[in-house]
Amino acid sequence: MEKLFVQKCSNCNKFTFPKKYFCSECGNTEFDAISINEGKVEEISVIRHMLGQKDWKPRKIANIKTALGIYITAGIEDAAQVGDALYIYSDNGAPIGKLMEEK
Amino acid sequence: MFDPRIIGVGQSIYTRHPNDEQTIQNLMKDAVLDALKDANLKHQEIDGLAIASFSITPDSAIDIAWRFGLSLNWLLQDTNGGSSAMNMLGHASRAIKTGDANNILILAGDATGLSGYAKIANSYNSATRDHLAPLGHGGPNGVYSLVTSRQMKKYNLKKSDYANLLISQRNWASKNPYAVYKKELTEEEYNSAPLVADPLCRYDCVPVVAGAYAIIISRNENERLERQVRIRAFEQSFNYENQEGDGTATGISTFKDKLFGTAKLAPVDIGVLSIYDDYPAIVLAQLNDLGIIKNGKFRDYLEGMEQQTQAVNTWGGMLSAGQPGGMAGGLNGIGEVVLQLQNRAGERQLNNVNFGIATGYGMTLYRHGGTVAATILEAI
Ligand SMILES: [Zn+2]
């Protein structure tokens, strides 16, 4: 599991994803990479059909509110539902959310 | 300064399953012939071309000019997807005002086929290619399924509340000879339709078709027409909130007051609306931003749609007539408003329409579309 990194503007501290070259808030071009570890499911969808693919197996995607406050779209591979807390990681740059284990 | 007129519209057949002859060039040729005839112009009188299409690759606008035998003073190729038509209309109108061209052909179309469309959807932009497609996000269906869920939450809507929008557009489509779906759609059919990307069902997702559409804008009037059409107001918005909003509002919210202010009109004055309809939720979002839906009362508005008293997407929209690419779909919306204003909409003709709105919405960047545009057209 790789970490998922977002950018934090080194001038105004605004977070953003995916990669930007100028900060939309202040125009700064320097960013720090910050890893996102946690988020919460806001909305979820099951992609049941894929154009041009006959043997498609349904997959889930979700809108995740991250602990940093910004939203990302992530793949869901387990039973996570709206409201659940997730671990967030990256699969080759694509964000994936995974249910936090019961403590 | 000349005040340009939209003097002709034309289109090709729309088809779900194009045959070998229905290439993008042949479909565009049919649309151009139809528009030239409608505008009462000779081919040689066209001196400007604006074009938008995914399918002409590897060709560009100049290749189409060459292959179509057009020698021009003005040329534009647009890449703004669902708001390409509007962007081209704006640029073409200004080119005529400044005297850069006299008769501009605005042309759009696509014939990618379903697999071609899937390929475009997965590498629509680098953000989609890198961060969404690997998730199996299903192209725009996945993106707008999440936007639709947010809209339902925010405005307290049930999935079945959307039925009237689809039923209404299907009723209009039944009067459009070019529409690919004309058969009546019932509430039961809508509510029991298979889901594509929850909560979106089959009827919420635009059917991709092969087809082309063309309009001609000119410094001269078309003397054959009893009513001329001019642009009364025109506004656009690009990347208005850096994808940080929830997608339930569009960039129209940034220019609505200016649009109506320039036109010296109010939403109530608008008799016909072509609202870009890649998804029902986006139609409602735009209607809300335009002030057509009042006080966020989405359900009231949807209930009223049952009577078809709201003249929204009177050609059936892309959801029923078909999406010949978003670019031509946007152009079809403009063309429909023109036909309605000129009392030339056949069985679909509305009574006493003097002003109409057409919008464009497109370019899904990551969470929703990044471009939106609207024009108020006027019959004179
Ligand atoms: Zn900044």
Side-chain angles (χ1 to χ4, degrees), chain B residues 276-342:
Chain B
Y276 190 84
D277 63 325
D278 48 356
Y279 294 92
I282 299 304
V283 177
L284 295 178
Q286 294 172 85
L287 287 167
N288 188 46
D289 289 344
L290 284 166
I292 304 286
I293 294 178
K294 297 211 169 26
N295 307 316
K297 291 190 172 165
F298 281 53
R299 190 175 296 127
D300 290 358
Y301 189 85
L302 284 161
E303 279 170 10
M305 278 191 136
E306 202 176 351
Q307 312 305 324
Q308 273 191 295
T309 47
Q310 287 117 336
V312 176
N313 295 335
T314 53
W315 58 289
M318 297 190 296
L319 285 163
S320 272
Q323 185 189 46
M327 297 148 166
L331 208 48
N332 200 153
I334 297 170
E336 174 70 9
V337 171
V338 171
L339 291 173
Q340 290 283 358
L341 290 172
Q342 293 172 337

Side-chain angles (χ1 to χ4, degrees), chain A residues 75-86:
Chain A
I76 303 287
E77 290 167 354
D78 56 26
Q81 297 293 326
V82 170
D84 285 342
L86 302 179

Side-chain angles (χ1 to χ4, degrees), chain A residues 14 17-18 24 42-43 45-51 56 59 61 63 71-75 93-96, chain B residues 114 117-118 127 130-132 134-138 142 145-146 149-150 153 195-198 242 244 366-367:
Chain A
K14 180 173 178 161
F17 179 86
S24 64
E42 294 283 319
E43 295 90 29
S45 179
V46 185
I47 311 301
R48 298 174 191 272
H49 295 277
M50 181 71 100
L51 265 183
W56 178 255
R59 292 177 69 173
I61 61 165
N63 177 36
Y71 292 88
I72 58 164
T73 304
I96 308 288
Chain B
L114 289 185
Y117 177 82
D130 298 343
H131 305 299
L132 295 176
L135 309 176
H137 81 307
S145 68
L146 297 173
S149 289
R150 291 196 280 278
K153 235 190 281 184
L195 291 170
V196 174
D198 308 13
N242 290 288
E244 290 162 13
Y366 180 57
R367 285 160 53 78

Side-chain angles (χ1 to χ4, degrees), chain A residues 9 12 23 25-26 28:
Chain A
C9 173
C12 76
C23 174
E25 195 68 35
C26 72
N28 180 35

Side-chain angles (χ1 to χ4, degrees), chain B residues 6 229-231 334 337-338 341 354-356 375-379:
Chain B
I6 299 172
V229 170
R230 67 178 281 262
I231 298 169
I334 297 170
V337 171
V338 171
L341 290 172
N354 295 308
F355 304 104
T375 187
I376 297 179
L377 302 180
E378 173 185 16

Side-chain angles (χ1 to χ4, degrees), chain B residues 52-311:
Chain B
S53 169
F54 289 117
S55 319
I56 59 170
T57 309
D59 285 357
S60 303
I62 185 61
D63 293 281
I64 300 297
W66 173 44
R67 302 275 191 147
F68 281 34
L70 297 167
S71 298
L72 309 166
N73 305 322
W74 186 91
L75 184 66
L76 169 74
Q77 183 162 0
D78 194 276
T79 58
N80 288 298
S83 68
S84 275
M86 207 62 74
N87 206 39
M88 293 191 290
L89 179 70
H91 283 303
S93 161
R94 288 184 289 273
I96 285 165
K97 282 187 182 177
T98 57
D100 289 357
N102 294 317
N103 297 305
I104 295 178
L105 172 67
I106 304 176
L107 179 60
D110 269 307
T112 54
L114 289 185
S115 55
Y117 177 82
K119 219 160 124 190
I120 290 167
N122 278 333
S123 53
Y124 197 65
N125 63 1
S126 56
T128 302
R129 180 196 61 203
D130 298 343
H131 305 299
L132 295 176
L135 309 176
H137 81 307
N141 292 342
V143 173
Y144 292 97
S145 68
L146 297 173
V147 174
T148 303
S149 289
R150 291 196 280 278
Q151 185 179 68
M152 289 167 68
K153 235 190 281 184
K154 189 168 172 182
Y155 296 100
N156 193 24
L157 294 170
K158 298 192 300 291
K159 164 75 182 147
S160 56
D161 290 329
Y162 290 81
N164 280 352
L165 188 150
L166 284 306
I167 292 167
S168 166
Q169 289 197 194
R170 182 59 65 87
N171 287 340
W172 286 116
S174 72
K175 299 170 184 168
N176 174 2
Y178 292 98
V180 292
Y181 294 110
K182 299 188 185 77
K183 195 177 147 280
E184 184 195 2
L185 175 66
T186 66
E187 213 172 326
E188 294 69 46
E189 277 172 315
Y190 178 79
N191 289 330
S192 61
L195 291 170
V196 174
D198 308 13
L200 302 178
C201 71
R202 178 189 288 161
Y203 297 108
D204 298 316
C205 303
V206 278
V208 176
V209 300
Y213 204 95
I215 67 177
I216 295 173
I217 181 165
S218 173
R219 66 179 283 183
N220 301 305
E221 298 198 335
N222 179 350
E223 285 164 8
R224 284 188 183 174
L225 296 171
E226 281 172 23
R227 281 157 72 92
Q228 305 294 326
V229 170
R230 67 178 281 262
I231 298 169
R232 182 145 166 149
F234 179 89
E235 295 292 337
Q236 303 192 91
S237 162
F238 302 103
N239 186 35
Y240 88 107
E241 39 75 291
N242 290 288
Q243 299 287 294
E244 290 162 13
D246 64 5
T248 63
T250 72
I252 290 175
S253 55
T254 66
F255 64 62
K256 175 223 169 196
D257 291 343
K258 195 174 167 215
L259 182 78
F260 285 105
T262 304
K264 298 189 175 65
L265 295 170
V268 69
D269 300 316
I270 305 301
V272 59
L273 300 106
S274 285
I275 305 296
Y276 190 84
D277 63 325
D278 48 356
Y279 294 92
I282 299 304
V283 177
L284 295 178
Q286 294 172 85
L287 287 167
N288 188 46
D289 289 344
L290 284 166
I292 304 286
I293 294 178
K294 297 211 169 26
N295 307 316
K297 291 190 172 165
F298 281 53
R299 190 175 296 127
D300 290 358
Y301 189 85
L302 284 161
E303 279 170 10
M305 278 191 136
E306 202 176 351
Q307 312 305 324
Q308 273 191 295
T309 47
Q310 287 117 336

